[in-house]
Amino acid sequence: MSSGNGKSFYITTPIFYVNDAPHIGHAYTEVAADVLARWHRQRGEQSFLLTGTDEHGEKILRTAAANKTTPLEWADKLVKEAWLPLLETIDIDNQDFIRTTEPRHEKNVQVFLQHLYDTGFIYQGSYEGNYCVGCEEYKTEGDLIEGDGQFAGQQVCAIHSKPVEKLKETNYFFKLSDFTQPLLDFYQANPNFIQPDSARNEVVAFVRRGLEDLSISRSKEKFDWGIDIPWDNSHITYVWFDALLNYITAIGYGEEDPASKAKFESLWPASVQVVGKDILRFHAVIWPAMLMAAGMAPAKQVFGHGWLLVGGEKMSKSKLTGIAPTQITDTFGSDAFRYYFMKAIAFGSDGSFSWEDLSARYQAELANGFGNLASRSIAMVHRYFDGVLPAAASFSEADLAVQAVAAVAVADADSAMEKVAIHDAIGSIWTLVDELNNYITVQEPWVLAKEESNRERLGTVLNTTVEGLRVLAVLLNPITPKAASKLWAAIGASVGTLDSQPIDQAAKWSQLKCGSQIAELEALFPRLEVTEEK
Ligand code: MSP
């Protein structure tokens, strides 16, 4: 990165259960984190995106057994056949992928546990409660609802609509109750720690009611798919306690060699941890308390995004409402997938996916709005100037207005991304798409081209348009990387690689060298005949 400022930006996604293949809800989280990671990289920061898989626990064990295989074989298969391919499908540029069955994780989970045990934050006790295997969590009475259908008359988990199981065990507890006040103090001192505000308020209200200690182990008599408790190998670690630690084991926690230590120091505390709101409490309550107990800083921010809904309910494979990401990308491509979900749903709110909305936005915003702007502008440079970028002579008010809109778009998009308001950032970028389309309509370069005396003006108009496209390519590189790269390949050769264009310099005008060759551009978002059954 040319303007590398050395600042680190460490961003994480939840690690996903490997009991099933990914659906678009999982892909949604991945895309959001990837857009933020790429944006910060384009700002010149040392951006590091971590994602991975959560492979222990009863849910995976049961799925493996149902498929007549071992949990590790099952996890290997799902990671290879489903979870790693997902990253390709939606074009994720992650810097690491952690699996909780890797030695680098298992070993250092034990280091962390031992430390908390030695310092008195873990003790032995007994517990009785209602456990939901779907959530891998003990549920309070308030978390349960009346079941219906085959579970009528029973209390079921409100998220999974399935009955909970009564568990009574002797196990180890983490002194979470010690952290009620420290957490409240931390939330107050760091008002942006939990975002959006609605999520923050909910978590604060929950913690104010007082926290109970957390059972963090399970007896191996019941099941044994997990990490051994280091001082008592008749118990395994509770899957969430194990899973949350991935965020630090992946970057070198517990390792003694200088390279790992340096990596850890440069990345922790994480800048943003992106999670669905279903798992916000784990990340905004239990996780910071675990870190505080170990004398470590919590992440700088946990962002709880909304759910993709189907029929008003959270999309889920277990309820058979999951849509595979490839169902969308096979027709529309990964850029459209990324753009659509980031633009159509305010990040932090729930949103409903519909094929009609996706098709309509693809056509109006991507194909007609942006794609067509790029194609016709570049085609005109070829038609009127043999593919050579003309110089701009004196700028008229209309030309200067384009430059002003670009400057505002860059500044607004950057500050929206800083606030994790990805939809607003895209909205700001689109003001430039609209401005350029409007500019071409008003300037009518095809009319100017009819009179030789207008040649200089025609050059200025096309130069302005292509400069505008340059700004768009830089701003859209984190969101629609494939289209941005194609556009860059056509226009950007004279100013270096696309990845090396810093956001904060994007609006600086006249960067493209006049006289440079503009290449042909293939359609960025080809028109589609979308079949009816979709
Ligand atoms: N393994 C745990 C997370 C451990 S993190 C230390 C887990 N995994 S999960 O496979 O169930 O994935 C949960 C995440 O997937 C959610 O937090 C959310 O980010 C994403 N989503 C799953 N379904 C979703 C929707 N319907 N809508 C939006 N996001 C969804 O929980």
Side-chain angles (χ1 to χ4, degrees), residues 379-394:
M380 284 191 279
V381 175
H382 281 272
R383 192 173 315 131
Y384 305 134
F385 292 93
D386 292 328
V388 174
L389 184 68
S394 59

Side-chain angles (χ1 to χ4, degrees), residues 15-17 23 25-26 29 54 240 247 276 278-279 305 308 315:
I15 48 170
F16 300 94
Y17 289 128
H23 59 61
H26 304 120
T29 309
D54 189 355
W240 268 101
Y247 303 125
D278 47 337
I279 57 171
H305 68 67
L308 298 191
M315 173 181 302

Side-chain angles (χ1 to χ4, degrees), residues 55 201 211 452 484:
E55 305 187 3
N201 295 340
L211 297 171
E452 189 52 38

